[in-house]
């Protein structure tokens, strides 16, 4: 294997593993932080790192006319997504949550059909049905019929808000580039999370060190470094090939949560997860547009 090929493989494996670890990392962070505080602390860390990268690579300021749109992208793609996901993971296990988030490309495909007239095809509709059927099966498998309603609703809300972010961002990425656009929107999302600032200092002082370290990990690795690794892969081999392996993320999230948090999924949740993942694969792997949207979600949603 050539050194360049080895580098691509390592970068791709790094991205998959790090994004899978974000879901159990969130569960760990929720031990001592509220969902709002966890989101803010994670993104303050990520924003600080991106500020250093922005200074290093001399990223210019965005055009003034684009700032409202960038703030909206940040609010939907990061504030709504991560706060809703964190609240959802209070009642839904990390592995199952990673499967629910896999509905994002299905929402994105529907939006693309409505606004850009992109053909969804029969595979997309069948895959959508299978995906939501799997979500229902997994939710029943949690064994908590009252709690799963709110948890699943919040995670689906997170997926939908993120799908809006991915569907309408293309022109801005072409204008500013991946790194600059991500920095702008993460900073925008962090701005909207500042409502959780009161009490955060006290929470940090009272939180166990291992919990705060898990949040530091979330802010640096899944939020920033995993994105950069996959961006490198995409620039070399293209979106479709780079993103096809990202469907391994939910399975790895189950495994990591099992080892890290001791979360043993029920057989019904696993069965629903397989149906959901199968539906997403069926709908996207042979379509021309959804894998790109899925790639962007994996880069930035966990």
């Amino acid at each position: 294997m050539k050194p360049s090929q080895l580098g691509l493989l390592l970068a791709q494996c790094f991205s998959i593993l790090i994004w899978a670890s974000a879901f159990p990392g969130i569960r760990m962070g929720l031990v001592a932080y509220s969902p709002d505080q966890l989101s803010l602390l994670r993104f303050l860390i990520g924003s600080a790192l991106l500020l250093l990268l922005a200074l290093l690579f001399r990223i210019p300021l965005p055009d003034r006319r684009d700032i409202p749109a960038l703030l909206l992208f940040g609010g939907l793609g990061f504030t709504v997504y991560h706060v809703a996901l964190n609240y959802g993971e209070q009642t839904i296990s990390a592995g199952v949550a990673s499967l629910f988030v896999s509905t994002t490309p299905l929402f994105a495909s529907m939006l693309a059909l409505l606004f850009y007239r992109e053909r969804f095809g029969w595979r997309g509709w069948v895959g959508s049905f299978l995906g939501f059927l799997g979500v229902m099966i997994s939710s029943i498998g949690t064994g908590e019929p009252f709690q799963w309603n709110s948890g699943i609703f919040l995670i689906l809300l997170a997926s939908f808000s993120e799908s809006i972010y991915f569907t309408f961002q293309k022109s801005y990425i072409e204008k500013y580039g991946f790194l600059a656009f991500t920095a702008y929107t993460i900073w925008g999302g962090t701005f909207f999370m500042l409502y959780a600032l009161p009490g955060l200092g006290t929470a940090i002082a009272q939180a166990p060190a291992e919990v705060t370290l898990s949040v530091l990990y979330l802010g640096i690795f899944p939020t920033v470094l995993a994105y950069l690794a996959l961006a490198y892969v995409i620039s070399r081999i293209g979106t479709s090939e780079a993103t096809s392996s990202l469907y391994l993320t939910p399975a790895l999230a189950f495994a990591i949560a099992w080892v890290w948090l001791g979360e043993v999924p029920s057989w019904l949740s696993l069965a629903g997860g397989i149906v959901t993942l199968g539906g997403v694969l069926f709908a996207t792997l042979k379509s021309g547009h959804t894998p790109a949207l899925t790639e962007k979600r994996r880069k930035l949603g966990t």
Side-chain angles (χ1 to χ4, degrees):
M1 180 179 294
K2 297 180 180 179
S4 59
Q5 293 176 327
L6 178 60
L8 287 172
L9 178 61
L10 291 176
Q12 198 164 21
C13 291
F14 175 82
S15 300
I16 297 168
L17 180 62
I18 295 305
W19 278 313
S21 69
F23 293 95
I26 290 171
R27 293 283 286 183
M28 174 64 77
L30 291 172
V31 170
Y33 295 97
S34 71
D36 309 277
Q37 292 171 339
L38 175 60
S39 296
L40 176 58
L41 181 56
R42 171 181 177 176
F43 277 85
L44 285 174
I45 294 167
S47 292
L49 179 57
L50 282 169
L51 179 59
L52 292 176
L53 293 175
L55 294 173
L56 179 64
F57 291 100
R58 298 181 180 181
I59 293 176
L61 293 175
D63 291 343
R64 186 175 301 177
R65 63 186 179 183
D66 292 334
I67 291 177
L70 294 171
L71 287 173
L72 179 62
F73 282 133
L76 290 173
F78 296 102
T79 308
V80 175
Y81 172 74
H82 284 277
V83 172
L85 177 62
N86 290 350
Y87 273 105
E89 282 208 46
Q90 288 185 315
T91 57
I92 302 297
S93 71
V96 173
S98 70
L99 290 164
F100 293 160
V101 171
S102 293
T103 59
T104 297
L106 303 180
F107 286 129
S109 293
M110 294 176 188
L111 290 172
L113 174 66
L114 289 173
F115 290 94
Y116 296 114
R117 297 295 187 265
E118 293 184 6
R119 296 182 59 187
F120 199 28
W122 70 272
R123 293 182 63 89
W125 295 115
V126 172
S128 297
F129 173 77
L130 291 174
F132 284 108
L133 178 62
V135 168
M136 294 175 63
I137 295 172
S138 291
S139 67
I140 296 172
T142 63
E144 300 180 27
F146 293 100
Q147 291 187 354
W148 74 260
N149 284 324
S150 61
I152 290 178
F153 171 78
L154 287 169
I155 293 177
L156 290 178
L157 172 64
S159 296
F160 182 70
S161 68
E162 196 178 38
S163 70
I164 297 174
Y165 172 81
F166 293 133
T167 302
F168 301 104
Q169 67 172 231
K170 181 179 179 181
S171 62
Y172 293 92
I173 290 179
E174 291 176 349
K175 181 176 182 179
Y176 292 109
F178 281 102
L179 179 58
F181 176 80
T182 303
Y184 300 151
T185 53
I186 284 183
W187 291 335
T190 304
F191 171 77
F192 288 119
M193 294 177 192
L194 290 177
Y195 71 88
L197 189 58
L200 180 60
T202 301
I204 294 173
Q206 296 177 349
E210 62 271 18
V211 176
T212 300
L213 285 174
S214 72
V215 182
L216 180 64
Y217 170 83
L218 288 172
I220 295 175
F221 287 88
T223 304
V224 178
L225 297 185
Y227 154 74
L228 294 176
L230 189 60
Y232 165 70
V233 176
I234 292 170
S235 69
R236 298 294 299 275
I237 65 175
T239 297
S240 297
E241 186 176 350
T243 58
S244 61
S245 60
L246 293 180
Y247 290 104
L248 294 172
T249 301
L252 285 173
F254 269 119
I256 294 171
W258 196 338
V259 174
W260 188 355
L261 304 177
E263 290 184 350
V264 181
S266 69
W267 286 109
L268 195 57
S269 290
L270 286 173
I274 292 172
V275 174
T276 298
L277 191 57
V280 173
L281 289 170
F282 188 83
T284 61
L285 284 186
K286 291 187 180 297
S287 67
H289 58 279
T290 306
L293 299 172
T294 305
E295 170 268 303
K296 297 172 187 173
R297 179 194 67 76
R298 298 294 188 184
K299 289 189 301 182
L300 305 172
T302 57

